[in-house]
Amino acid sequence: MSPTVQCGAVSQVVVVGGTHGNEMSGVCLAKHWLQDPSELHRKSFTAEVLLANPIAVERCVRYIDRDLNRSFSHELLSASGSESDSYEAKRAREIYQKYGPKQSSLNFVIDLHNTTSNMGTTFLLFKGDNFALHLANYLQTKCVDPSFPCHILLIDIPEGGHVHLQSMGKHSVSLELGPQPQGVARADVLTRMRALVNCSLDFLDLFNQGTEFPSFETDVHQVLYRADFPRNEDGEIEAVIHSELQDKDYLPLKPGDPIFQRLNGEDILYNGEKQIYPVFINEAAYYEKKVAFIATEKTHCLVPALKVQN
Ligand SMILES: N[C@@H](Cc1ccccc1)C(=O)O
Ligand SMILES: CCCCCC(=O)O
Ligand SMILES: [Zn+2]
């Protein structure tokens, strides 16, 4: 019998909206729950709500000076705040002072994101976070309409160490739902996100009360590399995502399949050796990050059973 994953009871849970100010499902839900947190109450805990980037939310932009979800690096968090600091670097330090590992026993972070890509429901979690994998499995098997695509995507931690907001928690998941345009709140996406948050809190409550979650197997996607658009010497894109790749997130891309199309009608083909699974295809926020899509591989993993350690 594979060993059971032993974790202590979860006491502090934070649900985060507005890490990116124009991703409206999480913004609307966080604002609602800040007014009326009753929905976040469970027997064994009450989740807290954080609107992570209030100024970006007010202006309905992703960020003011720099991406808040890349601002939780040790370097930025330990820099002594100077006026010239970016808004997000200061804001990340503020948030870290409240929820960072030293200051609190923040057990679980649920960070709410939307993507313009056709990624359905994606759970983003750190490799090795078996607790979060159990949550994702619970959501996939218990909460999501089986006809609805649901994927697990492992976050690749940069060489320099963590940079993402959710890394503040001992365990964490980002709920990435799309497609949804930036600055737009779609009722179907918001409703799905709201249900997933409620289901996540149910899972944590069941865990705290002693439910054992049996071991399971599942497919996870892992990042192979980030592909950029073809660009000219001025850095301008010279082709767009091919119409046959658009919206095909998580579907296999084989060598020879088209990925970009030039305005002169020429197609650019994927010339890799092996089949990959593109995600974040044509994500609006990634043009400036020089990412046209993220190439992933699909792997199968066995996760040990989970039971609270009293
Ligand atoms: N869209 C999110 C995806 C993400 C969430 C959490 C961690 C890493 C990536 C971002 O780029 O920030
Ligand atoms: C799987 C993680 C996606 C992160 C998006 C990025 O850093 O480009
Ligand atoms: Zn986001």
Side-chain angles (χ1 to χ4, degrees), residues 19-23 62 67 69-70 111-115 176 280 283 285-286:
T19 298
H20 293 133
N22 55 6
E23 296 175 7
R62 183 179 178 88
D67 192 328
N69 207 28
R70 306 291 185 279
D111 196 5
L112 304 179
H113 289 265
N114 290 116
T115 172
E176 183 78 67
F280 284 108
E283 162 59 53
Y286 290 177

Side-chain angles (χ1 to χ4, degrees), residues 62-229:
R62 183 179 178 88
Y63 59 80
I64 306 302
D65 300 323
R66 54 170 290 134
D67 192 328
L68 181 61
N69 207 28
R70 306 291 185 279
S71 299
F72 286 79
S73 63
H74 175 70
E75 183 201 354
L76 282 174
L77 291 173
S78 49
S80 58
S82 69
E83 269 325 293
S84 63
D85 240 359
S86 66
Y87 168 70
E88 277 79 11
K90 280 186 271 193
R91 181 65 183 151
R93 276 198 294 277
E94 240 170 63
I95 293 170
Y96 197 76
Q97 253 123 49
K98 185 162 197 278
Y99 294 110
K102 285 187 288 299
Q103 282 73 15
S104 73
S105 61
L106 176 56
N107 307 102
F108 209 91
V109 176
I110 303 173
D111 196 5
L112 304 179
H113 289 265
N114 290 116
T115 172
T116 60
S117 302
N118 185 27
M119 290 171 70
T121 296
T122 290
F123 307 121
L124 277 147
L125 41 94
F126 292 117
K127 192 182 176 88
D129 189 346
N130 282 337
F131 188 90
L133 264 176
H134 266 282
L135 167 62
N137 186 57
Y138 181 82
L139 294 175
Q140 276 182 324
T141 52
K142 294 276 188 317
C143 300
V144 178
D145 167 353
S147 67
F148 211 96
C150 228
H151 300 277
I152 296 169
L153 177 53
L154 300 187
I155 304 163
D156 49 336
I157 301 168
E159 273 81 58
H162 280 301
V163 295
H164 303 108
L165 181 146
Q166 72 183 82
S167 62
M168 291 193 303
K170 284 195 188 68
H171 303 288
S172 63
V173 68
S174 271
L175 302 182
E176 183 78 67
L177 269 56
Q180 181 175 267
Q182 294 175 336
V184 169
R186 287 184 58 101
D188 55 343
V189 177
L190 184 143
T191 304
R192 197 162 87 231
M193 184 177 274
R194 185 175 195 167
L196 287 165
V197 172
N198 273 285
C199 239
S200 300
L201 301 185
D202 295 345
F203 167 84
L204 295 173
D205 199 30
L206 286 170
F207 168 77
N208 281 345
Q209 297 185 67
T211 299
E212 171 152 359
F213 297 92
S215 68
F216 66 94
E217 299 185 44
T218 192
D219 285 333
V220 298
H221 285 263
Q222 302 198 61
V223 175
L224 291 170
Y225 59 86
R226 288 163 174 74
D228 191 10
F229 292 89

